[in-house]
Amino acid sequence: AQRPDEAADLQAKLDEATEAFEAHWVSVELEALAKSEWNLLADTFQGENGIDWDRALPEMLAVSCVDPDLRDADWWTEQFAKPEWSQGDFAALQLAVYALNVEAAGAQIPKG
């Protein structure tokens, strides 16, 4: 059995590690666009094989962000140019924007 001081020590270390980990992440809240706005953006950024996400994602994020400070396509473009952003990060955001605007919630989910 652990002593209470050992448990407290371990909890403090866990809290410190969790805080250090979370310092590298930011929550971004997105909202679905109106159907007409989504269709316009999807049409605007069409490429040979569908949406050209390299060009589209910064703009789509800018108009989808709930936080007004994140509604800047140029800022998103600058972020994606940084080496800290992996292809996986980019793909996760792409999927989130796409799912939010194209995939339907189940019929049991009320609208509004």
Side-chain angles (χ1 to χ4, degrees), residues 70 72-86:
L70 298 177
D72 181 349
D74 291 335
W75 182 83
W76 282 107
T77 299
E78 290 172 18
Q79 297 310 303
F80 293 138
K82 293 179 180 179
E84 296 86 1
W85 287 82
S86 71

Side-chain angles (χ1 to χ4, degrees), residues 18-76:
T18 300
E19 186 177 310
F21 175 79
E22 289 175 350
H24 296 282
W25 298 94
V26 175
S27 292
V28 175
E29 185 177 355
L30 303 174
E31 60 187 353
L33 303 174
K35 181 180 174 184
S36 60
E37 189 173 13
W38 170 259
N39 288 337
L40 178 63
L41 280 171
D43 288 346
T44 299
F45 292 105
Q46 276 302 306
E48 285 185 29
N49 300 314
I51 295 172
D52 178 351
W53 286 101
D54 288 334
R55 292 185 317 121
L57 190 58
E59 185 66 36
M60 289 181 173
L61 281 170
V63 297
S64 298
C65 283
V66 172
D67 184 343
D69 291 337
L70 298 177
R71 292 185 178 169
D72 181 349
D74 291 335
W75 182 83
W76 282 107

